[in-house]
Amino acid sequence: MLIHAETDIQKQAEAISKKYIIADLHVDVPYRLREQYEDVSQATESGDFDYPRAKKGGLDAPFMSIYIPARIEAEGGDSTALANQLIDGVEKMVEQSPDKFALAKSPADIKANFKKGLVSLPMGMENGSPIAGNLANLTHFYDRGIRYITLSHSLSNHISDSSYDEKRPAQGLTDFGKKLVTAMNNIGMMVDVSHISDKAFEQVIEISKVPVIASHSSARHFTPGFERNMSDAMIKSLADKGGVIFINFGSTFVSQKSIDSYNAYKEAVADFIKVKGVASDSEEVKAFAKAYLEKTPFEFATLDTVLDHFDHVVKLVGIDHVGIGSDYDGVGDSLPTGLKDVSTYPNLIAGLLKRGYSEQHIEKILSGNLFRVWRQVEDYAKKYKSQ
């Protein structure tokens, strides 16, 4: 009987994955293809995303992450040019496979594409450094289809301090960063608080006139001391503002055991490099790392670990404030068992069903909560522009 029940739940999950739009706020395909090009309209051997796997998983609207490495701004490089190149790459995907992919700049676009059976490719910019201190660039990237900006990434930048950076020169947002949040509200661009420092988050909440998002963050409750994730107080502030946290699937985001496992591995490799006096990219280091992982395998999170984060947010602030921000193609080989690529959203749905979530609540997680926030941001901008 138990086997039949499992099968029935999986079938129900498969049906739900095809019935409703699944939006994932963070999929790192563009930078992956820049590093090593593959035709993702076909099945690919590497990576977490391609069209066949997206269709199998019911993925309808993966936000293509226009990821800009923090070192580019830090080293005086041209991050604006890179952002344009990555957007060109997304447009090329659509041009080459118009029967499979379509651009999307609004919830209405995604819904129209869904009816046609097309996978929408909306875009978000991970790291605001391409704005380069010039609000004209905000307009430019909005016109090109960017619909959210993660204000900073792994280093503090000209907009905001980063949660990963010990240096906090702005003590939150810079003066320009504060102007940018207001300008994003006015143009209709979602403000993304993933990656920024706690103080910067508080300032965004204070300044923004509309709900904000965390495009790929998880609950700090399970990973104490990991500022990249959101504390309960932050999740409550986000929800009070009407915002949504989109849960990151990466093992080192959702599991303290995975964080500890990875830190032990990094420390062992660093010690080996120091003792042997070899370069970090040497063959000796690669051989040591391989042998270490064979003897002490990385501790992967599980589907249940990820579901615990959804449960925690729902219990804390309600069903209207959580969604999916997997970070596929952005967290390397650290994805949890049961959620290894974009074909596995039905596993997530089945897990939610087993935990008592209704179909209506699951639909909110899959895309309903995103569309609500996005429409609120659009509506505010329309009113502003009409004044």
Side-chain angles (χ1 to χ4, degrees):
M1 289 295 290
L2 191 60
I3 293 172
H4 286 304
E6 288 279 345
T7 304
D8 289 346
I9 287 173
Q10 199 64 37
K11 282 183 179 176
Q12 187 183 353
E14 296 280 351
I16 289 171
S17 75
K18 303 299 187 287
K19 180 178 179 181
Y20 299 105
I21 292 170
I22 298 180
D24 188 324
L25 267 283
H26 200 87
V27 181
D28 274 294
V29 172
Y31 201 82
R32 165 194 158 195
L33 299 188
R34 182 179 186 270
E35 296 275 275
Q36 184 178 344
Y37 181 76
E38 294 179 288
D39 180 3
V40 292
S41 71
Q42 311 295 326
T44 58
E45 289 189 14
S46 64
D48 309 324
F49 172 94
D50 57 42
Y51 179 79
R53 284 183 284 176
K55 291 302 282 187
K56 182 181 178 185
L59 177 60
D60 304 294
F63 270 73
M64 295 287 97
S65 172
I66 304 305
Y67 162 62
I68 310 299
R71 59 177 167 73
I72 295 178
E73 179 178 328
E75 295 169 3
D78 193 344
S79 54
T80 308
L82 175 57
N84 281 308
Q85 289 167 15
L86 294 174
I87 295 169
D88 290 344
V90 175
E91 291 177 347
K92 187 178 178 184
M93 286 168 63
V94 173
E95 287 166 12
Q96 290 178 335
S97 305
D99 58 328
K100 296 176 179 176
F101 298 125
L103 297 173
K105 298 181 178 181
S106 67
D109 286 349
I110 291 173
K111 290 175 182 178
N113 292 336
F114 179 67
K115 287 180 181 176
K116 297 174 189 173
L118 298 170
V119 174
S120 292
L121 301 180
M123 289 181 281
M125 182 182 286
E126 185 177 23
N127 189 358
S129 66
I131 301 301
N134 184 349
L135 292 179
N137 283 328
L138 174 66
T139 303
H140 167 78
F141 286 117
Y142 180 87
D143 291 343
R144 292 212 68 184
I146 297 294
R147 286 301 177 268
Y148 74 71
I149 295 175
T150 318
L151 300 182
S152 66
H153 192 250
S154 58
L155 296 173
S156 300
N157 63 12
H158 75 284
I159 297 166
S160 174
D161 290 338
S162 164
S163 63
Y164 281 130
D165 196 345
E166 289 182 8
K167 297 174 184 174
R168 308 286 171 96
Q171 288 300 296
L173 298 175
T174 65
D175 289 342
F176 176 77
K178 293 170 183 175
K179 290 176 187 172
L180 180 64
V181 169
T182 298
M184 288 173 70
N185 286 177
N186 294 344
I187 203 171
M189 184 94 74
M190 289 181 281
V191 179
D192 179 18
V193 298
S194 289
H195 280 289
I196 67 176
S197 70
D198 287 8
K199 191 167 280 191
F201 167 82
E202 292 168 6
Q203 292 170 359
V204 167
I205 292 296
E206 189 179 329
I207 294 166
S208 182
K209 303 294 185 189
V210 294
V212 302
I213 63 168
S215 70
H216 58 308
S217 294
S218 303
R220 199 183 299 173
H221 171 81
F222 300 99
T223 58
F226 185 35
E227 191 179 341
R228 171 66 179 81
N229 278 341
M230 298 187 73
S231 69
D232 286 2
M234 292 167 77
I235 294 169
K236 286 176 181 176
S237 292
L238 186 81
D240 287 345
K241 196 86 180 179
V244 179
I245 175 174
F246 297 89
I247 301 299
N248 189 315
F249 293 176
S251 289
T252 54
F253 285 82
V254 295
S255 165
Q256 187 62 47
K257 284 184 179 178
S258 296
I259 291 173
D260 294 342
S261 175
Y262 182 59
N263 286 342
Y265 161 74
K266 282 197 302 182
E267 188 177 336
V269 171
D271 287 346
F272 178 83
I273 290 169
K274 187 177 180 181
V275 170
K276 297 291 184 180
V278 292
S280 59
D281 59 351
S282 67
E283 291 304 316
E284 295 100 316
V285 172
K286 289 175 186 174
F288 173 82
K290 184 181 178 185
Y292 178 93
L293 290 172
E294 284 174 358
K295 187 179 177 182
T296 315
F298 173 72
E299 181 107 23
F300 287 100
T302 65
L303 168 61
D304 276 321
T305 321
V306 175
L307 290 167
D308 288 344
H309 284 255
F310 282 92
D311 278 352
H312 183 75
V313 175
V314 171
K315 286 171 185 170
L316 197 63
V317 294
I319 193 66
D320 295 323
H321 305 286
V322 68
I324 298 169
S326 66
D327 215 349
Y328 281 132
D329 277 331
V331 288
D333 298 326
S334 78
L335 289 159
T337 54
L339 291 171
K340 290 294 186 184
D341 62 31
V342 296
S343 70
T344 60
Y345 298 100
N347 294 348
L348 182 76
I349 295 168
L352 292 168
L353 288 168
K354 288 175 189 174
R355 292 191 179 205
Y357 287 75
S358 68
E359 188 171 320
Q360 291 71 29
H361 283 178
I362 290 170
E363 188 272 335
K364 287 188 174 189
I365 290 171
L366 298 182
S367 59
N369 292 336
L370 163 68
F371 289 153
R372 173 186 58 77
V373 168
W374 198 348
R375 281 193 297 266
Q376 285 177 270
V377 171
E378 285 183 330
D379 289 346
Y380 178 89
K382 281 177 189 169
K383 286 180 184 175
Y384 176 81
K385 290 167 188 173
S386 67
Q387 288 173 358

